[in-house]
Amino acid sequence: PRLLSQFFFADERVTRVVAEINGLDAELDPQQYLVLLNQLHLSQAHLLAVLERIMEECIPTQRYSRDYLVKFPEELLVDNLGNHMLFAAECLLAGTFLEVEESDGAQLRPQARNLLCSLELVRRVLREQSLSQPNSYPEPVRAVLIQFDRLFAEFELSYVSSLVAVKSPDEIYRQQEIIVLFCETVERALHLGYLTQEMIDGYEPLLMFTIPRLAIISGLLIYPEGPLSLERSPEEMSRVFSPFYNLLKKIRDLLRVLSAEELCLLERSLCTAE
């Protein structure tokens, strides 16, 4: 159950697979080469998972901030992102630019080199510690873990920033405004009887259409200073709504001529129409 012991065997597995790859002629046996590459990917992922648990146990209050992850597109926030970053660093160090422009790759190579060197140091230090005192983390061990954690985070942010346009603080704030709008819309709909708590608790599929429809009306009429404020320019709105700026203006103008009874009837119809 000791994490350092788990790390020792995970590290042994990575070392063994790397040795098998280095001793294989990929041209003579390409099938076996692909099998070993897959084994390397899985063993490295397991090694990083154990290392993550060790850092949470050893340096929980000294971890490098990962707040930047909120800037990443959601499709990148997957369980194997760390392993992908490690593979990217290895490719960059080998002079292979699979995903980034060559100019960006040249700038990222020093970070990749520092990261991989730090990982090798961590592996050596943790192996030695697992063989001597597997129940403790002395200060030298903590120091190399803190350094690795920082270098990994810095490389992750730099590498992803070279691949995609990360969200700006303004865009993150606008998305938070939309979340608030949807929450207030649901609260208002419950109060007016458009929705029931049972529908929400039961994940009623119709809500996927109902809540956004009601949120548009709320954003245009009830909370006109929120994320759907048309006093802003399209560039100042969230990218979720900015493409529909002119359409939203037309909808707002139509909503303004409705009486309270007509608005209520419209909202109720939006809760049932498919």
Side-chain angles (χ1 to χ4, degrees):
R2 292 177 297 191
L3 288 178
L4 282 175
S5 298
Q6 294 180 32
F7 183 88
F8 177 86
F9 289 108
D11 186 74
E12 283 279 284
R13 176 61 176 164
V14 171
T15 301
R16 183 166 63 251
V17 175
V18 169
E20 291 183 39
I21 290 176
N22 291 336
L24 180 70
D25 190 329
E27 294 183 357
L28 294 179
D29 195 348
Q31 188 65 34
Q32 179 62 16
Y33 182 71
L34 293 176
V35 170
L36 290 176
L37 278 182
N38 184 60
Q39 291 180 6
L40 178 61
H41 175 81
L42 295 175
S43 60
Q44 284 181 331
H46 179 57
L47 181 71
L48 287 178
V50 177
L51 180 55
E52 176 69 21
R53 292 169 59 196
I54 288 175
M55 290 190 291
E56 282 298 310
E57 180 178 85
C58 179
I59 54 170
T61 62
Q62 297 169 287
R63 298 294 305 271
Y64 195 87
S65 173
R66 295 307 199 276
D67 290 347
Y68 60 83
L69 289 174
V70 301
K71 299 181 178 182
F72 290 2
E74 292 185 3
E75 60 268 19
L76 292 182
L77 299 179
V78 293
D79 292 337
N80 64 344
L81 179 60
N83 202 39
H84 183 79
M85 290 299 103
L86 182 59
F87 177 70
E90 292 170 340
C91 289
L92 288 171
L93 197 60
T96 303
F97 309 107
L98 295 179
E99 299 176 310
V100 298
E101 298 292 335
E102 186 171 349
S103 58
D104 292 331
Q107 293 181 350
L108 288 167
R109 284 189 71 185
Q111 282 186 286
R113 181 182 297 107
N114 291 338
L115 172 61
L116 294 176
C117 288
S118 178
L119 177 59
E120 286 303 310
L121 177 60
V122 165
R123 291 176 64 184
R124 184 170 71 250
V125 168
L126 290 183
R127 281 175 64 89
E128 293 172 354
Q129 188 66 24
S130 67
L131 293 172
S132 58
Q133 295 178 301
N135 293 317
S136 65
Y137 299 101
E139 185 56 35
V141 173
R142 295 166 60 87
V144 297
L145 288 173
I146 292 172
Q147 180 189 49
F148 171 75
D149 190 44
R150 175 180 61 82
L151 292 174
F152 197 104
E154 290 176 348
F155 176 77
E156 184 174 58
L157 176 57
S158 298
Y159 187 81
V160 173
S161 297
S162 70
L163 292 179
V164 297
V166 298
K167 302 171 186 174
S168 67
D170 286 341
E171 180 63 20
I172 294 171
Y173 178 75
R174 292 170 191 150
Q175 289 188 343
Q176 291 173 337
E177 282 189 312
I178 295 173
I179 294 172
V180 172
L181 172 63
F182 272 55
C183 291
E184 291 176 337
T185 297
V186 171
E187 183 178 359
R188 177 173 174 269
L190 288 171
H191 176 72
L192 295 175
Y194 297 155
L195 306 176
T196 66
Q197 191 62 49
E198 289 74 18
M199 294 173 65
I200 296 174
D201 294 341
Y203 300 101
E204 174 63 43
L206 185 60
L207 296 179
M208 295 177 60
F209 303 97
T210 298
I211 294 176
R213 291 168 176 172
L214 294 177
I216 291 175
I217 294 179
S218 295
L220 293 174
L221 292 184
I222 313 301
Y223 311 108
E225 297 181 357
L228 283 180
S229 173
L230 298 178
E231 300 304 317
R232 306 175 180 179
S233 66
E235 293 75 20
E236 295 174 312
M237 298 179 68
S238 169
R239 285 180 289 183
V240 175
F241 296 115
S242 58
F244 310 103
Y245 184 82
N246 292 329
L247 177 60
L248 290 171
K249 291 184 67 175
K250 294 179 181 179
I251 295 175
R252 181 196 61 182
D253 294 341
L254 290 172
L255 292 174
R256 282 178 172 175
V257 303
L258 297 179
S259 66
E261 293 77 11
E262 290 171 333
L263 179 61
C264 178
L265 181 61
L266 171 63
E267 290 185 305
R268 287 191 178 279
S269 66
L270 292 177
C271 295
T272 57
E274 297 183 358

